[in-house]
Amino acid sequence: MKNKNFYITTPIYYVNGDPHLGHVYTTTAADVVARFKRLAGYNVHFLTGTDEHGQKVAQSAEKAGIDPQEFCDQVAQKFRDVLSPFQISNDDFIRTTEDRHKKTCMALWKKLEDAGDIYLDKYAGWYAVRDEAYYGEDELEDGPDADTKIATATGAECKWVEEESYFFRLSDYTDKLLKFYDDNPDFIGPKSSANEIKAFVAQGLTDLSISRTTFDWGVPVPGNDKHVMYVWIDALTNYISALGWENGESNLMDQFWPADVHVVGKEITRFHAIYWPAFLMSANLPLPKKVYANGWWVVEGEKMSKSLGNVITPETLLENYGSDGSRYALMAEMPFGNDGNFVHESAVNRINGDLANGLGNLAQRSLSMIAKNCESVVPHKGEFSSDDKTLLEKAYALPEVTETHVNAMQIHKYLEAVWSVVGDANAYIDAQAPWKLKKENPDRMQTVLYVLAEVIRCVSIMAQPILPTGADKILDQLALDKSSRTFAHLNENHALQSGMTLPVPQGVFPRLELNTEQAA
RNA sequence: GGGCGGGUAGCUCAGCUGGUUAGAGCAGAGCGCUCAUAACGCUUUGGUCGGGGGUUCAAGUCCCUCUCCGCCUACCA
């Protein structure tokens, strides 16, 4: 038996802002994959969490007049509260202010230090507090006085700062990283991100500042209380602190490290694809198998922003589309990895077309015919025609076909494959016309309805990762045992048993009304 | 400035190493059906493949150039 463990992570979300469409999107994508892999027989560990350190958080807390920890507790709770309404099946939720995480960070720091990759030096440059970033001369404009400059890109005020800082010898890893990318062509996805990262590394890397002395809301640097760790060495480490690496809290490293995939937003790809592998190499730990960047949504053609007031909140999604609808719309509306445009009208069309008219109506029409004409039991099956076999074989082939797509993070292709069978099944009903067979050939009608029920079973099992609520309801209507709903049951050996009593069918995915007022 | 993507039917996108009449879904139109959530099926309208030049027997598919859009260039998914 090969290793059937699977570790997937989302980024940890920065608590300086509230959860929105983007967070839901990334987390849902990871959830779909996690659920898929569980059904495919993997022992899955799915991690999400919050990134809680840094100057901005400290300042926000101060502004709110509360202790930073209390501030973090409040915002982290908001992120946590989003999970269950969207059916996110995470196994753990890591917070960077937890002790287990701090322990791991300090242990990792020491490893890097022991490896000779950390040294103390000075960092000098124009620093913007607001952006928590240094800017080069070419990125600045003159400010109101000689001591102040303005960052062209963000408009933030920058001051000249000289700061003692620890550095990581990232420059030593340029060649090692390039070789690693060559040896592992699928490490970074999608392709565009991979190209971008490789080109960036090929230019040559400079050493990385990894500590700060200007604020103290962070993990202390071992042996030097003046310093706290800077964001990336702190944040990235969460992926192993949650597994208990060197912190004594749990022991999941052997099982789950290296991670199978880190799902990230495209703006943080480089940290995951450059710094993180370099840190791990330095600590002599295995590298994750894949870093996959998802794109960004614009909303109705415009960038989502607070000033435009078009930020889509998790609450808005739930009110408009419900949990299954939101999940489906987000995953089906754009190819994973691309940028996309979230348009209320097309989300409604998508949900109505694929869920209500497609899968939902397929189940409803089939199951009510069974209820009315087969005494509410799974129909008899006679000899299968070639049409029957074609449809069933396509359904049975789904686990294999879709797993390739999911492994490549092509979630939209997985959905297309499943819904292609839904379409075939609807065409099959019309072609077979069981309502005619009812009078002409009742036996054949039974077989046709049996085939339909069986295909609905398959399609619903396949749809569980994307539609946890609705797919379950359909499977309940097929009286399928909860323990018989994995991909291993997707074959004729586990086909529906004729004669099983079925409950009264009910609609599962209601049609949505297009309410344009809800667009914003 | 440098880098990476992308501009293909009204919309969202497929089109691998160049090769018959450029595809899908949605939207539109027509027909059919009546089991079903005014749902389903079938057929169909629609594209000078961003502009220009080149290579080739043959180019959305390769090369050059121009143009437009997005993103990255040290922390908004």
Side-chain angles (χ1 to χ4, degrees):
Chain A
M1 270 298 270
K2 61 178 178 179
N3 183 3
K4 291 284 268 183
N5 294 314
F6 188 87
Y7 182 32
I8 182 167
T9 67
T10 73
I12 47 174
Y13 303 116
Y14 201 40
V15 293
N16 202 42
D18 290 344
H20 59 63
L21 174 71
H23 301 105
V24 173
Y25 178 60
T26 305
T27 310
T28 300
D31 184 66
V32 170
V33 174
R35 286 175 181 272
F36 187 101
K37 284 291 180 176
R38 286 192 198 103
L39 292 175
Y42 287 78
N43 178 30
V44 171
H45 196 68
F46 171 25
L47 177 71
T48 186
T50 42
D51 177 16
E52 308 188 358
H53 287 131
Q55 191 167 19
K56 272 200 268 191
V57 169
Q59 287 176 337
S60 296
E62 201 177 331
K63 202 180 284 178
I66 53 177
D67 178 74
Q69 186 63 57
E70 196 186 328
F71 177 83
C72 291
D73 290 349
Q74 288 176 6
V75 185
Q77 190 57 43
K78 290 186 190 172
F79 277 91
R80 241 189 237 271
D81 288 343
V82 168
L83 299 174
S84 107
F86 285 96
Q87 310 275 65
I88 303 301
S89 63
N90 57 305
D91 297 288
D92 195 358
F93 188 98
I94 183 92
R95 300 180 53 190
T96 56
T97 52
E98 291 176 85
D99 277 347
R100 57 172 175 164
H101 176 69
K102 292 178 189 168
K103 283 182 194 163
T104 297
C105 280
M106 297 208 263
L108 180 67
W109 182 285
K110 283 181 194 146
K111 289 269 186 191
L112 305 189
E113 204 166 38
D114 291 348
D117 280 333
I118 291 181
Y119 63 93
L120 186 61
D121 201 342
K122 272 207 177 86
Y123 200 109
W126 291 96
Y127 182 74
V129 171
R130 199 185 82 191
D131 299 343
E132 288 189 51
Y134 283 94
Y135 289 96
E137 292 288 350
D138 56 340
E139 296 174 293
L140 295 166
E141 294 165 4
D142 288 339
D145 55 71
D147 293 338
T148 308
K149 286 188 185 278
I150 303 295
T152 312
T154 63
E157 281 196 0
C158 302
K159 300 279 187 188
W160 183 259
V161 172
E162 288 190 23
E163 188 183 350
E164 187 181 81
S165 170
Y166 284 95
F167 283 81
F168 175 76
R169 293 189 197 279
L170 187 63
S171 55
D172 285 358
Y173 287 87
T174 303
D175 295 336
K176 289 173 196 164
L177 286 167
L178 289 173
K179 180 172 188 318
F180 177 72
Y181 303 145
D182 274 351
D183 295 344
N184 300 276
D186 294 329
F187 174 61
I188 307 167
K191 193 86 177 182
S192 53
S193 296
N195 291 344
E196 205 168 290
I197 295 297
K198 282 183 213 165
F200 184 82
V201 175
Q203 290 168 17
L205 297 167
T206 55
D207 287 349
L208 187 68
S209 168
I210 52 169
S211 75
R212 287 291 181 273
T213 55
T214 46
F215 59 92
D216 62 2
W217 185 239
V219 182
V221 166
N224 189 339
D225 288 349
K226 271 165 49 189
H227 290 254
V228 294
M229 296 182 196
Y230 191 45
V231 60
W232 289 111
I233 196 137
D234 174 348
L236 291 162
T237 306
N238 90 84
Y239 302 125
I240 54 174
S241 43
L243 297 182
W245 184 76
E246 301 280 319
N247 69 16
E249 304 271 338
S250 58
N251 188 17
L252 297 170
M253 280 297 280
D254 290 346
Q255 236 180 315
F256 292 114
W257 194 258
D260 289 272
V261 56
H262 292 311
V263 179
V264 301
K266 67 178 179 180
E267 77 291 349
I268 53 173
T269 312
R270 61 199 315 154
F271 312 110
H272 285 79
I274 300 174
Y275 304 168
W276 183 225
F279 295 158
L280 290 166
M281 283 177 184
S282 178
N284 206 20
L285 285 166
L287 272 46
K289 293 175 197 161
K290 189 187 277 292
V291 171
Y292 204 92
N294 63 244
W296 280 8
W297 288 102
V298 295
V299 175
E300 309 284 341
E302 286 185 316
K303 210 168 169 174
M304 200 166 43
S305 76
K306 281 184 189 168
S307 49
L308 282 174
N310 64 347
V311 176
I312 295 190
T313 64
E315 292 75 27
T316 311
L317 285 172
L318 285 172
E319 281 165 21
N320 285 348
Y321 317 115
S323 145
D324 279 355
S326 300
R327 292 169 64 100
Y328 189 81
L330 287 173
M331 292 301 117
E333 274 293 281
M334 77 175 179
F336 198 69
N338 286 24
D339 289 335
N341 185 9
F342 195 88
V343 177
H344 177 63
E345 185 177 345
S346 53
V348 169
N349 281 341
R350 174 76 67 172
I351 290 165
N352 283 344
D354 292 353
L355 301 190
N357 303 348
L359 178 57
N361 185 49
L362 172 68
Q364 180 75 355
R365 66 197 299 209
S366 306
L367 293 173
S368 14
M369 272 188 276
I370 290 172
K372 288 176 189 163
N373 304 308
C374 307
E375 296 167 331
S376 292
V377 301
V378 175
H380 289 298
K381 54 174 165 175
E383 192 81 4
F384 286 147
S385 73
S386 69
D387 285 351
D388 301 347
K389 286 179 190 159
T390 304
L391 184 59
L392 287 169
E393 276 161 20
K394 190 166 169 187
Y396 291 145
L398 280 174
E400 203 180 326
V401 171
T402 53
E403 186 155 17
T404 311
H405 294 140
V406 170
N407 286 342
M409 295 303 290
Q410 298 292 291
I411 297 172
H412 60 291
K413 288 191 182 173
Y414 142 56
L415 298 179
E416 271 173 31
V418 176
W419 262 264
S420 160
V421 176
V422 172
D424 288 357
N426 270 324
Y428 171 88
I429 303 191
D430 274 51
Q432 304 296 326
W435 50 91
K436 282 185 190 161
L437 294 171
K438 184 176 167 182
K439 292 170 188 167
E440 297 163 5
N441 188 347
D443 274 358
R444 176 59 193 158
M445 178 200 73
Q446 293 260 338
T447 304
V448 166
L449 293 180
Y450 177 87
V451 169
L452 283 168
E454 174 62 2
V455 168
I456 290 165
R457 180 183 74 94
C458 295
V459 167
S460 301
I461 286 175
M462 292 309 304
Q464 291 174 98
I466 183 75
L467 308 168
T469 307
D472 262 18
K473 284 188 190 164
I474 297 176
L475 293 169
D476 288 345
Q477 297 188 24
L478 289 169
L480 198 67
D481 195 85
K482 298 269 186 208
S483 62
S484 305
R485 299 180 176 186
T486 76
F487 297 166
H489 298 92
L490 234 143
N491 51 51
E492 56 267 56
N493 296 332
H494 296 88
L496 288 169
Q497 296 295 311
S498 300
M500 281 266 286
T501 306
L502 299 177
V504 179
Q506 287 171 4
V508 171
F509 303 108
R511 277 183 70 83
L512 303 180
E513 293 301 319
L514 180 59
N515 178 351
T516 46
E517 284 172 29
Q518 291 172 330

